[in-house]
Every structure is written in structure tokens, then in C-alpha cells.
Amino acid sequence: MYRRRFLRSAGAAGGAAATVGLAGCAGVGGEPDFDVGMLASAYQPREITVSVGDTVVWENTSARSHTVTATAGGIPDDAEFFASGGFDDYETALSAWQSDFGGRMENGDRFEHTFTVSGAYEYVCIPHREGGMFGTVVVEE
Ligand SMILES: [Cu+2]
């Protein structure tokens, strides 16, 4: 099981947004300061395990445009939907992509989400969903 190297807990810095905005700061020892990168047609790693309250940071480390979009029905019932572009549900994210590439993440773009409900979250890259670009976040108590 993959355990993230770049831990960022909500309480770690004593404040809500205190640790946001560190994009660009190299991690200690050359470790990446994001949790999930992206290849041409895959998330890297494909599955990540975190704890309730953790924030997962995605970065588009590829040259292609991608999205991070929670799937309809693929997240716990009482969990908050998440999507790059900030859409409220999958159908809205899908139509935004189809009309205007809404939610697009280009090289170096980041998206982050804080997970407050335990369970498994399936998410997808909308433009590459038919190519199997899916990912999973497992959130443990
Ligand atoms: Cu993609």
C-alpha cells in the first residue's frame, strides 16, 4: 500500500489555510511536495491512502491536460464531491469539460481536497476516462 510522503494534516500548522500556498517550494531532500502526480494517461500513484482530515495535493506533472473529478456514486454517501474547477457534481463537471474544457489542469497546475469522511473515493480524468485514467483515495479513520 502506498503511503503518502508529503503529509499535510489540517491541524499540523494550527490553522485552516496556513499551509496552502506552498506550491513551488521544493520538498525536503528533493521529495515532491505534492501527493499525486500525473503521467500522460495515468495518475501517479494510482491509489493513495491518507487519514481523515488530510489534504491531498495533485499536480499535473505531465505535458497533457487532465482533470481530477470525483465519480458519480464513487465516493462515500455523506462525502463532499470534489473536482478541479470546483464543480458541484460529476454531470456539471462533464458538461463544463465538453463545452469549454472546464476543470482543465495544465502542466504545473495543482488541485487539492481535504477529506473529512472515511472511505474509498474513485476519481477520474474526464478527457482520458475511456483510456482508464482513474485514481483512488482511501481515507482511513
Ligand atoms: Cu487525463
Side-chain angles (χ1 to χ4, degrees):
M1 181 189 301
Y2 178 90
R3 263 276 166 188
R4 58 196 272 155
R5 291 172 297 183
F6 181 63
L7 281 171
R8 177 148 59 183
S9 294
T19 57
V20 176
L22 291 174
C25 296
V28 175
E31 295 292 321
D33 63 348
F34 54 87
D35 302 301
V36 182
M38 300 177 201
L39 308 176
S41 58
Y43 299 104
Q44 179 64 35
R46 192 202 163 286
E47 179 174 319
I48 187 172
T49 300
V50 301
S51 298
V52 168
D54 281 347
T55 298
V56 173
V57 179
W58 286 263
E59 179 172 314
N60 187 350
T61 51
S62 83
R64 301 176 81 182
S65 295
H66 298 294
T67 74
V68 169
T69 310
T71 57
I75 65 176
D77 286 342
D78 45 352
E80 179 188 0
F81 184 81
F82 63 94
S84 54
F87 305 108
D88 290 333
D89 55 56
Y90 185 82
E91 287 307 314
T92 304
L94 178 60
S95 64
W97 173 267
Q98 289 169 338
S99 65
D100 194 23
F101 303 111
R104 172 181 72 255
M105 295 174 64
E106 296 183 345
N107 178 261
D109 286 350
R110 289 186 170 204
F111 172 74
E112 63 181 52
H113 182 72
T114 300
F115 292 86
T116 58
V117 175
S118 62
Y121 294 70
E122 301 291 340
Y123 65 94
V124 66
C125 171
I126 288 176
H128 303 126
R129 62 195 185 283
E130 289 172 3
M133 187 167 175
F134 289 84
T136 306
V137 177
V138 177
V139 180
E140 297 178 336
E141 291 289 349

